[in-house]
Coordinates of all heavy atoms in Angstrom, one line a residue:
L1 N 0.8 -1.2 0.0 CA 0.0 0.0 0.0 C 0.9 1.3 0.0 O 0.6 2.2 -0.7 CB -0.9 0.0 1.2 CG -1.9 1.2 1.3 CD1 -2.9 1.2 0.1 CD2 -2.7 1.1 2.6
Q2 N 1.9 1.2 0.8 CA 2.9 2.4 0.8 C 3.5 2.5 -0.5 O 3.7 3.7 -1.0 CB 3.9 2.1 1.9 CG 4.8 3.3 2.2 CD 5.9 3.0 3.2 OE1 6.2 1.9 3.5 NE2 6.5 4.0 3.8
K3 N 3.9 1.4 -1.1 CA 4.5 1.5 -2.5 C 3.6 2.0 -3.5 O 4.0 2.8 -4.4 CB 5.0 0.0 -2.9 CG 5.7 0.0 -4.2 CD 7.0 0.6 -4.2 CE 7.8 0.3 -5.5 NZ 9.1 1.0 -5.5
A4 N 2.3 1.7 -3.4 CA 1.3 2.2 -4.4 C 1.2 3.7 -4.2 O 1.2 4.4 -5.2 CB 0.0 1.5 -4.1
W5 N 1.1 4.2 -3.0 CA 1.0 5.6 -2.8 C 2.3 6.4 -3.3 O 2.2 7.4 -3.8 CB 0.7 5.9 -1.3 CG -0.7 5.8 -0.9 CD1 -1.3 4.8 -0.1 CD2 -1.8 6.6 -1.4 NE1 -2.6 5.0 0.0 CE2 -3.0 6.1 -0.7 CE3 -1.9 7.8 -2.1 CZ2 -4.2 6.7 -1.0 CZ3 -3.1 8.4 -2.3 CH2 -4.2 7.8 -1.7
K6 N 3.4 5.7 -3.0 CA 4.7 6.3 -3.4 C 4.8 6.5 -4.9 O 5.1 7.5 -5.5 CB 5.8 5.5 -2.9 CG 7.3 6.1 -3.2 CD 8.3 5.2 -2.6 CE 9.7 5.8 -2.9 NZ 10.8 4.9 -2.3
N7 N 4.4 5.4 -5.6 CA 4.3 5.3 -7.1 C 3.4 6.4 -7.6 O 3.7 7.1 -8.6 CB 4.0 4.0 -7.7 CG 5.2 3.0 -7.6 OD1 6.3 3.4 -7.1 ND2 4.9 1.8 -7.9
L8 N 2.2 6.5 -7.0 CA 1.2 7.5 -7.4 C 1.8 8.9 -7.3 O 1.6 9.8 -8.2 CB -0.1 7.3 -6.7 CG -1.2 8.3 -7.0 CD1 -1.6 8.2 -8.5 CD2 -2.4 8.1 -6.2
W9 N 2.5 9.2 -6.2 CA 3.1 10.5 -5.9 C 4.2 10.8 -7.0 O 4.2 11.9 -7.5 CB 3.7 10.6 -4.5 CG 4.5 11.8 -4.2 CD1 5.8 11.9 -4.2 CD2 3.9 13.1 -4.0 NE1 6.2 13.2 -3.9 CE2 5.1 14.0 -3.8 CE3 2.7 13.6 -3.9 CZ2 4.9 15.3 -3.5 CZ3 2.5 15.0 -3.7 CH2 3.6 15.8 -3.5
R10 N 5.0 9.8 -7.2 CA 6.0 10.0 -8.3 C 5.5 10.3 -9.6 O 6.0 11.1 -10.3 CB 6.9 8.7 -8.3 CG 7.8 8.5 -7.1 CD 8.4 7.1 -7.1 NE 9.3 6.8 -8.2 CZ 9.8 5.7 -8.6 NH1 9.5 4.6 -7.9 NH2 10.5 5.5 -9.6
W11 N 4.4 9.6 -10.0 CA 3.8 9.7 -11.3 C 3.2 11.1 -11.4 O 3.2 11.8 -12.4 CB 2.8 8.6 -11.5 CG 2.2 8.7 -12.9 CD1 2.8 8.2 -14.1 CD2 0.9 9.2 -13.3 NE1 1.9 8.4 -15.1 CE2 0.8 9.0 -14.6 CE3 -0.1 9.7 -12.5 CZ2 -0.4 9.4 -15.3 CZ3 -1.3 10.1 -13.2 CH2 -1.4 10.0 -14.6
S12 N 2.5 11.5 -10.3 CA 1.9 12.9 -10.3 C 2.8 14.0 -10.4 O 2.6 14.9 -11.1 CB 0.9 13.0 -9.1 OG 1.7 13.0 -7.9
Q13 N 4.0 13.8 -9.7 CA 5.0 14.8 -9.8 C 5.6 14.9 -11.2 O 5.9 15.9 -11.8 CB 6.2 14.5 -8.8 CG 5.7 14.7 -7.4 CD 5.4 16.2 -7.0 OE1 4.1 16.5 -6.9 NE2 6.3 17.0 -7.0
Y14 N 5.8 13.7 -11.8 CA 6.3 13.7 -13.2 C 5.3 14.3 -14.1 O 5.7 15.1 -15.1 CB 6.5 12.2 -13.6 CG 6.9 12.0 -15.0 CD1 8.2 12.3 -15.4 CD2 5.9 11.6 -15.9 CE1 8.6 12.1 -16.8 CE2 6.3 11.4 -17.3 CZ 7.6 11.7 -17.7 OH 8.0 11.6 -19.0
A15 N 4.0 14.0 -13.9 CA 2.9 14.6 -14.8 C 3.0 16.1 -14.7 O 2.9 16.8 -15.8 CB 1.6 14.1 -14.4
I16 N 3.2 16.7 -13.5 CA 3.2 18.2 -13.4 C 4.5 18.7 -14.1 O 4.4 19.6 -14.9 CB 3.2 18.5 -11.9 CG1 1.9 18.2 -11.3 CG2 3.6 20.0 -11.8 CD1 2.0 18.3 -9.7
A17 N 5.6 18.0 -13.9 CA 6.8 18.5 -14.6 C 6.8 18.4 -16.1 O 7.2 19.2 -16.8 CB 8.0 17.7 -14.0
A18 N 6.2 17.2 -16.6 CA 6.1 17.0 -18.0 C 5.2 18.0 -18.7 O 5.4 18.3 -19.9 CB 5.7 15.5 -18.3
S19 N 4.2 18.4 -18.0 CA 3.2 19.3 -18.7 C 3.7 20.8 -18.6 O 3.2 21.6 -19.4 CB 1.8 19.2 -18.1 OG 1.9 19.5 -16.6
A20 N 4.6 21.1 -17.6 CA 5.0 22.4 -17.5 C 6.4 22.8 -18.2 O 6.7 23.9 -18.2 CB 5.2 22.7 -15.9
T21 N 7.1 21.7 -18.6 CA 8.4 22.0 -19.2 C 8.4 21.3 -20.6 O 7.6 20.6 -21.0 CB 9.5 21.4 -18.3 OG1 9.3 20.0 -18.2 CG2 9.4 22.0 -17.0
V22 N 9.6 21.5 -21.3 CA 9.9 20.7 -22.5 C 9.9 19.3 -22.1 O 10.5 19.0 -21.0 CB 11.2 21.2 -23.1 CG1 11.5 20.3 -24.3 CG2 11.1 22.7 -23.4
P23 N 9.3 18.4 -22.8 CA 9.3 17.0 -22.4 C 10.6 16.4 -22.0 O 10.7 15.6 -21.0 CB 8.7 16.3 -23.7 CG 7.8 17.3 -24.3 CD 8.5 18.6 -24.1
A24 N 11.6 16.7 -22.7 CA 12.9 16.1 -22.4 C 13.5 16.6 -21.1 O 14.3 16.0 -20.5 CB 13.9 16.4 -23.5
G25 N 12.9 17.7 -20.7 CA 13.5 18.3 -19.4 C 12.8 17.7 -18.1 O 13.2 18.0 -17.0
A26 N 11.8 16.9 -18.3 CA 11.0 16.4 -17.2 C 11.7 15.2 -16.5 O 11.4 14.8 -15.4 CB 9.6 16.0 -17.6
G27 N 12.6 14.6 -17.2 CA 13.3 13.4 -16.7 C 12.2 12.2 -16.7 O 11.2 12.3 -17.3
H28 N 12.6 11.2 -16.0 CA 11.8 10.0 -15.9 C 11.6 9.7 -14.4 O 12.6 9.8 -13.6 CB 12.3 8.8 -16.6 CG 12.2 8.9 -18.1 ND1 13.1 8.2 -18.9 CD2 11.4 9.6 -18.9 CE1 12.8 8.5 -20.2 NE2 11.8 9.4 -20.2
C29 N 10.4 9.2 -14.0 CA 10.3 8.7 -12.6 C 10.6 7.2 -12.5 O 10.8 6.7 -11.4 CB 8.9 8.9 -12.1 SG 7.6 8.3 -13.1
I30 N 10.8 6.5 -13.6 CA 11.2 5.1 -13.6 C 11.7 4.8 -15.0 O 11.3 5.3 -16.1 CB 10.0 4.2 -13.3 CG1 10.5 2.7 -13.2 CG2 8.9 4.3 -14.3 CD1 9.4 1.7 -12.7
E31 N 12.8 4.0 -15.1 CA 13.4 3.6 -16.3 C 13.1 2.1 -16.6 O 13.0 1.3 -15.7 CB 15.0 3.7 -16.2 CG 15.4 5.1 -16.1 CD 15.1 6.0 -17.3 OE1 15.0 5.4 -18.4 OE2 15.1 7.2 -17.1
P32 N 12.8 1.8 -17.9 CA 12.5 0.4 -18.2 C 13.7 -0.5 -18.0 O 14.9 0.0 -17.9 CB 12.0 0.5 -19.7 CG 12.7 1.7 -20.2 CD 12.7 2.7 -19.1
L33 N 13.5 -1.8 -17.9 CA 14.6 -2.7 -17.8 C 15.5 -2.6 -19.1 O 14.9 -2.3 -20.2 CB 14.1 -4.1 -17.6 CG 13.4 -4.4 -16.3 CD1 12.7 -5.7 -16.3 CD2 14.3 -4.2 -15.1

């Protein structure tokens, strides 16, 4: 449950950064394998 909330927070922060900046400047909240 804690992990789910943490992932949701990371994703929401990324969403804000991605919509407010140039996409490449938002970074990633997780990298694929």
